[in-house]
């Protein structure tokens, strides 16, 4: 799903114009970006949690120069799905897997 797909879905579901939906989506995304840039955690109940974690500096290898290098510390954005979202997706995957297994176990004796 692209940003435009999301805008279209919000507009259709809410019964509003696409321009209004785009403004809403942009406002939500900007609020999330601002909070993350201030190293705040963004929690959306029933969906998940966005946060910033600090990755420490570490030793690495530059294969082009064939020498050891120090990779500087950095910040990384992390998303953790809520238990509700996790269960919903996991259940769909289990149902699909069971359906796939049932169809693959089918033996046609009437060829």
């Amino acid at each position: 799903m692209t940003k435009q797909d999301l805008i279209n879905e919000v507009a259709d579901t809410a019964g509003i114009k696409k321009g209004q939906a785009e403004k809403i989506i942009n406002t939500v995304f900007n609020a999330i970006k601002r909070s993350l840039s201030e190293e705040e955690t963004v929690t959306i109940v029933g969906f998940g949690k966005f946060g910033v974690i600090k990755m420490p500096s570490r030793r690495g290898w530059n294969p082009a120069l064939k020498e050891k290098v120090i990779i500087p510390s950095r910040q990384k954005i992390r998303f953790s799905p809520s238990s509700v979202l996790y269960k919903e997706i996991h259940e769909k995957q289990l149902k699909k897997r069971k359906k796939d297994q049932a169809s693959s176990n089918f033996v046609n004796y009437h060829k």
Side-chain angles (χ1 to χ4, degrees), residues 9-58:
E9 186 153 340
V10 168
D12 293 342
T13 304
I16 59 177
K17 294 180 181 177
K18 289 183 183 178
Q20 292 171 316
E22 182 175 14
K23 189 173 183 179
I24 291 167
I25 297 295
N26 286 336
T27 302
V28 169
F29 287 166
N30 288 336
I32 292 171
K33 287 190 280 188
R34 181 187 43 74
S35 293
L36 291 174
S37 70
E38 295 171 2
E39 296 184 26
E40 294 177 0
T41 300
V42 178
T43 304
I44 302 170
V45 177
F47 185 72
K49 182 168 56 172
F50 295 91
V52 177
I53 58 173
K54 294 181 181 181
M55 303 298 293
S57 61
R58 59 189 173 93

Side-chain angles (χ1 to χ4, degrees), residues 78-107:
R78 173 177 238 163
F79 174 74
S80 300
S82 71
S83 59
V84 174
L85 179 63
Y86 180 83
K87 286 176 186 175
E88 185 177 320
I89 290 174
H90 188 66
E91 286 173 7
K92 285 181 182 178
Q93 289 176 345
L94 283 176
K95 286 179 185 177
K96 184 175 186 249
R97 229 179 269 148
K98 286 180 182 178
K99 182 181 173 185
D100 291 345
Q101 286 175 349
S103 64
S104 67
N105 291 338
F106 177 73
V107 178

